[in-house]
Amino acid sequence: MPNRLSHLGAPPASFKIEDLRTFCACNVAGGVAGVAVDLILFPLDTIKTRLQSPQGFNKAGGFRGIYAGVPSAAIGSFPNAAAFFITYEYVKWFLHTDSSSYLMPVKHMLAASAGEVVACLIRVPSEVVKQRAQVSASSRTFQIFSNILYTEGIQGLYRGYKSTVLREIPFSLVQFPMWESLKALWSWRQDHVVDCWQSAVCGAFAGGFAAAVTTPLDVAKTRIMLAKAGSSTASGNVLSALHGVWRTQGLSGLFAGVFPRTAAISLGGFIFLGAYEQTRSLLLELGRASP
């Protein structure tokens, strides 16, 4: 694809070296950041899942066993986060535009959406097992995984894929352009590129806002993943799931778990995006220093 390389304005040989270094750095940085967030904030995620569960918070386990399902999150978090960020950075490069262009927000939206579609291929099986473990704390993670495969097959692990993508894309369409815009504004105000902690603060604000406004989609995704096999909710129809929650619980049901979700993703945005920027910068510096 010579036209893409010439569009970047870089010689092919130097591009290949920088390309490899950048994608390796994004891969590792995204993975490290994902693991850090998932393990540190897991209790808040468990509380949110139980608040959204159709059986209710107390019957789903209350505050007991809040680390139930953590093995599934630990196994899936590194490849999930790495897949997102390597796709995000690649699409940003592929859609290269001038930094002053009015198309920059569109580029970030498309890059984030593509990243979510790819990452959900890894995230959804991990999420299905994790959420069922969170509302069945007495069951082991591997036992839940085996039971899903035995009763529903591989498609059972991907139940809720569409609803997860439909949650993540609007989330990313809000979070990532806001994150990039806040960083650009802060950089302009102080006349130099933002530090890692400043990037993390921008991430916390962007993530918290995006989390709050997309909570109903998160509730629908949770209901679909936890529904009994063969039920109408298990079919994966997001509108049907939302209508069912609205009919039985009203607005409060659609925003169940909004506070732990917003808190977890705000803190997660701070840790994730800060750790991502820090690790990525460190790895790229090491790459440039090596012969």
Side-chain angles (χ1 to χ4, degrees):
M1 60 176 73
N3 58 327
R4 295 294 177 190
L5 296 177
S6 61
H7 186 55
L8 278 172
S14 62
F15 165 77
K16 287 178 182 176
I17 294 170
E18 288 302 314
D19 183 52
L20 180 61
R21 285 176 179 169
T22 300
F23 286 143
C24 286
C26 292
N27 197 349
V28 176
V32 168
V35 171
V37 170
D38 285 346
L39 297 184
I40 292 170
L41 301 178
F42 194 83
L44 281 174
D45 184 69
T46 300
I47 291 168
K48 180 218 67 168
T49 298
R50 291 174 180 177
L51 284 168
Q52 294 178 349
S53 168
Q55 66 219 68
F57 180 72
N58 290 325
K59 288 185 178 179
F63 292 102
R64 302 183 305 277
I66 55 173
Y67 276 95
V70 75
S72 178
I75 292 168
S77 62
F78 189 100
N80 163 48
F84 173 83
F85 266 102
I86 200 167
T87 307
Y88 179 68
E89 295 289 349
Y90 177 79
V91 174
K92 280 206 301 183
W93 163 77
F94 189 80
L95 301 174
H96 178 73
T97 56
D98 187 272
S99 59
S100 61
S101 171
Y102 66 93
L103 292 174
M104 282 293 287
V106 176
K107 182 178 81 168
H108 293 142
M109 288 178 181
L110 291 173
S113 298
E116 294 296 356
V117 171
V118 173
C120 280
L121 294 171
I122 300 167
R123 181 182 306 152
V124 170
S126 172
E127 187 86 354
V128 168
V129 174
K130 181 199 75 175
Q131 290 207 308
R132 294 193 191 182
Q134 286 173 326
V135 299
S136 307
S138 59
S139 301
R140 293 180 179 274
T141 299
F142 183 74
Q143 180 185 351
I144 291 169
F145 173 75
S146 301
N147 186 56
I148 292 170
L149 281 180
Y150 180 75
T151 57
E152 301 179 62
I154 194 73
Q155 65 267 30
L157 292 173
Y158 279 94
R159 188 206 291 181
Y161 178 82
K162 288 186 292 184
S163 61
T164 305
V165 170
L166 286 173
R167 177 197 67 176
E168 298 295 0
I169 288 180
F171 180 90
S172 292
L173 292 181
V174 175
Q175 182 193 29
F176 279 87
M178 183 179 286
W179 177 48
E180 300 279 7
S181 298
L182 288 172
K183 286 195 300 177
L185 177 62
W186 203 333
S187 298
W188 175 74
R189 290 292 298 271
Q190 64 187 10
D191 204 29
H192 64 81
V193 176
V194 292
D195 298 323
C196 290
W197 73 267
Q198 293 170 328
S199 174
V201 170
C202 294
F205 277 105
F209 181 77
V213 299
T214 57
T215 295
L217 295 172
D218 187 57
V219 171
K221 188 265 316 174
T222 298
R223 293 296 180 96
I224 288 167
M225 286 186 172
L226 297 180
K228 291 183 179 179
S231 66
S232 58
T233 305
S235 67
N237 188 311
V238 175
L239 290 177
S240 176
L242 287 171
H243 182 259
V245 174
W246 170 260
R247 193 177 63 251
T248 57
Q249 295 176 274
L251 191 63
S252 62
L254 291 175
F255 282 90
V258 64
F259 293 115
R261 172 171 163 80
T262 302
I265 292 179
S266 292
L267 290 170
F270 186 87
I271 298 166
F272 190 102
L273 298 172
Y276 170 72
E277 292 277 352
Q278 181 73 50
T279 308
R280 181 175 176 271
S281 299
L282 177 63
L283 290 171
L284 287 173
E285 272 187 40
L286 289 173
R288 292 189 194 103
S290 63

